[in-house]
Amino acid sequence: MLDFLQNEIPLSEWVDNGVDWLTEHWAVFFSFLQSLGQTIMDGMTSGLSFIPPLLFIVLATVVAFFLGGKNGNCLHLHCSVYYLFITKVYGAIC
């Protein structure tokens, strides 16, 4: 009765077969997703590289100031210090 516990479950074969089937039948869809994601990432990289770092810090600080409101929120200070720290550490300020 407990004989089924002695046999191994062929899980690795099932996974391999499933991955092979997905690769064979859905390759066009996955290729489309990859190219779409690459296009979005290239656009974001180009857009963020177009803005000088100090100008981006000033704009982000102003946006954070207005989003934070007048209730004593220090979001804009955290934003500016954080971005200045990141640009200093990674040397992004030209």
Side-chain angles (χ1 to χ4, degrees):
M1 179 167 173
L2 296 177
D3 216 15
F4 71 92
L5 294 178
Q6 304 300 323
N7 297 332
E8 293 183 3
I9 299 174
L11 185 62
S12 65
E13 291 178 25
W14 294 344
V15 170
D16 286 340
N17 290 338
V19 169
D20 290 341
W21 184 86
L22 283 173
T23 303
E24 183 179 338
H25 292 90
W26 289 81
V28 174
F29 176 69
F30 292 134
S31 176
F32 169 73
L33 285 181
Q34 181 181 11
S35 64
L36 179 67
Q38 187 66 41
T39 302
I40 290 171
M41 290 303 296
D42 288 343
M44 289 177 66
T45 301
S46 297
L48 288 174
S49 297
F50 181 72
I51 302 171
L54 288 177
L55 178 62
F56 180 76
I57 291 170
V58 169
L59 291 175
T61 303
V62 169
V63 168
F65 176 75
F66 286 113
L67 287 179
K70 305 274 193 243
N71 59 1
N73 226 345
C74 297
L75 180 63
H76 58 287
L77 294 176
H78 292 285
C79 180
S80 60
V81 170
Y82 171 74
Y83 283 128
L84 283 173
F85 175 73
I86 293 297
T87 54
K88 178 70 173 164
V89 168
Y90 291 106
I93 297 178
C94 298

